[in-house]
Amino acid sequence: MDPEQLLDGLDAHQRAAVTSPAHPLAILAGAGSGKTRVLTRRIAHRCLTGDADPRHVLAVTFTRKAAGELDARLRAFGLRDLPAAGTFHGLAYAQLRTAWAADGTAAPTLLDRKGRILGRILGNTRRVTPADLAAEIEWARARMVPPGRYADAVQRAGRATAVDPERIAHWYQRYEDDKRSRGVVDFDDLLERCAERIERDPTIAAAQHWRFRHLFVDEYQDVNPLQERLLRAWLGDRTDLCVVGDPNQAIYGWNGADARFLTRFAEHHPGAEVIELRDSYRSTPQILAVAAAVLARGRRGTPLRAHRQDGPVPVVVGFRSDADEANGVARAVRDNHRPGRPWSAQAVLIRT
C-alpha cells in the first residue's frame, strides 16, 4: 500500500499523530477519537516508509483480542512481515521460556489461579475471602511492594482493607513462601522475572534490544509500576517509544495502575512530543456534554468535539449504595419493557 493512502480520511490531529517523526511520542486519544485507527496506521506508516522494520516492532496491548485485532488491521495494509503483538504477560512469558530453554532449565509451573492456595492460607477466616486477598496481593505486586512493606504502603496510599494490614502482609508472605516451595510462578512473577533478566544480564538485554527496536503501547493509562519497569527494560537507553491512551478512561487505579505514567509522559521522557486527538466520531454532542460534566472536576485535556448529529439527552441517576443501584436498574428495565418486544432488546453495561 502507498503510505499516503494511510492518511486518507484522517483529521489534522490524527494525521499529525500518524506522521510525527518524534521519538518518544504520546498520543492522548479520548473515547471515539480513532485511537486504534491511529495506532495501527502509525505502525504501518513507519514500516511502509522504511522508518521502522516490522520484524523489529513490538506492540503491547492489554488483551489477546486487541493483539489479534491489531494483527488483522496491519495485515490489511499489506505489510509483508507482521510486528510482534501481545500482552505484557504473554510477551514476558514467551521471552522467559526462551531464556529458560537457553539455560537448560525446566520452566516453572504457571499458577493461573491463586484461589486454592489462598483459601488454604486463610483457613477459617471469614472476614477476608481468597478473592479479597488476591486483590491485595496483586495491588502490592503491581506497585512492587514486598510483604514487609505492605502495611506501610497501604497507610501511605490511604487504602481501606477488611482487616489489619499486618495480617494481610503475613498472609501475603505465606503465599510467596508457598509458591517458592512448590516451584510455581504467578502472572506478576512473569513480569518481575523478565525485567530482572534483562536488567541483570547484558547478553539477554542486548538480544532483546536488537529484536525489539520500535515499541508501541496501547491503553497506556492502565499501566502499573511493575509493567512500566518491564517496558523500561525492553526500551533500554533508546527513545523509540510510542504510547497511546486516555487518562479520562483510567479505571484500574484500585489494582495498582498509575495514569501519571501517561499524564507526565513528557517529564519521564525528556524531549517527547505529546499529541492530543480532539475529535470524537462515536458519540452525539449530548453524550459528550454529559461526559464532560461528569468528568469536569478531574478532567484532563481538551473536551472532545462531536462529529455525530444531535441525539437524546442521557439521563444520569445516582444511588446511595450498590444494592440501591441494582434495584434501580431492575426497575428501569421493567419500566422500559414493552409488549411484543423481548427483554433482550435492552442491555445493561457494567464496568467493575
Side-chain angles (χ1 to χ4, degrees):
M1 178 180 287
D2 182 344
E4 288 300 310
Q5 289 181 262
L6 294 171
L7 307 181
D8 291 345
L10 300 183
D11 64 41
H13 300 291
Q14 292 173 332
R15 184 181 288 247
V18 169
T19 60
S20 171
H23 306 143
L25 173 68
I27 302 170
L28 304 183
S33 64
K35 171 179 70 74
T36 305
R37 190 182 200 199
V38 165
L39 176 62
T40 52
R41 292 194 183 208
R42 178 170 176 81
I43 295 173
H45 190 269
R46 289 194 58 191
C47 293
L48 291 172
T49 57
D51 188 43
D53 185 333
R55 295 168 298 181
H56 297 288
V57 169
L58 177 64
V60 187
T61 65
F62 266 76
T63 65
R64 284 179 293 179
K65 181 180 179 181
E69 181 183 351
L70 187 142
D71 274 352
R73 292 198 186 203
L74 291 175
R75 189 175 288 109
F77 294 144
L79 293 188
R80 182 171 299 175
D81 299 292
L82 287 179
T87 65
F88 276 100
H89 296 97
L91 293 166
Y93 196 24
Q95 292 174 18
L96 284 172
R97 287 200 304 269
T98 299
W100 289 327
D103 293 343
T105 59
T109 300
L110 178 60
L111 180 69
D112 59 351
R113 290 183 178 86
K114 300 180 177 72
R116 184 173 298 177
I117 292 177
L118 295 181
R120 187 167 56 251
I121 290 172
L122 288 171
N124 296 325
T125 303
R126 291 290 175 264
R127 290 183 61 188
V128 178
T129 67
D132 294 333
L133 182 54
E136 290 306 305
I137 291 173
E138 288 165 6
W139 174 83
R141 293 297 303 280
R143 299 171 75 94
M144 298 186 290
V145 174
R149 298 209 323 263
Y150 170 81
D152 180 59
V154 165
Q155 184 177 13
R156 284 187 286 106
R159 185 175 177 87
T161 55
V163 297
D164 181 66
E166 293 289 354
R167 290 188 68 189
I168 296 177
H170 171 70
W171 292 325
Y172 176 12
Q173 184 63 64
R174 287 186 58 191
Y175 169 70
E176 294 297 320
D177 294 341
D178 194 294
K179 280 191 304 174
R180 193 174 299 110
S181 66
R182 293 171 179 269
V184 300
V185 295
D186 61 20
F187 287 111
D188 293 319
D189 291 322
L190 298 180
L191 304 186
E192 185 176 302
R193 292 195 180 195
C194 188
E196 286 179 349
R197 292 292 297 247
I198 298 172
E199 291 165 353
R200 296 180 180 179
D201 190 325
T203 302
I204 291 179
Q208 291 298 332
H209 296 162
W210 178 87
R211 174 72 177 84
F212 299 121
R213 306 174 193 178
H214 322 287
L215 275 66
F216 296 81
V217 185
D218 195 9
E219 304 290 5
Y220 192 61
Q221 76 278 354
D222 292 328
V223 164
N224 63 46
L226 180 55
Q227 292 167 331
E228 177 71 7
R229 176 187 174 187
L230 178 55
L231 179 62
R232 289 281 188 162
W234 283 334
L235 186 63
D237 59 0
R238 301 164 303 166
T239 61
D240 198 340
L241 170 67
C242 173
V243 303
V244 184
D246 179 12
N248 294 309
Q249 295 187 65
I251 64 168
Y252 290 110
W254 60 273
N255 202 29
D258 191 342
R260 290 175 297 182
F261 289 125
L262 176 60
T263 59
R264 298 182 181 177
F265 186 80
E267 298 175 31
H268 299 156
H269 299 271
E273 181 179 6
V274 178
I275 296 176
E276 189 173 359
L277 306 185
R278 299 179 180 175
D279 298 87
S280 173
Y281 299 92
R282 179 185 301 160
S283 301
T284 64
Q286 288 75 15
I287 288 176
L288 289 180
V290 169
V294 171
L295 290 168
R297 188 170 298 176
R299 182 171 186 83
R300 305 178 181 97
T302 307
L304 291 167
R305 293 186 297 239
H307 283 258
R308 293 278 299 271
Q309 293 184 346
D310 285 343
V313 177
V315 177
V316 179
V317 182
F319 298 93
R320 289 181 178 273
S321 70
D322 53 352
D324 289 341
E325 181 183 48
N327 288 327
V329 171
R331 280 195 302 271
V333 169
R334 182 191 61 198
D335 293 345
N336 280 281
H337 185 57
R338 298 289 181 269
R341 194 167 69 179
W343 291 101
S344 59
Q346 301 186 60
V348 180
L349 307 182
I350 302 171
R351 207 155 204 189
T352 60

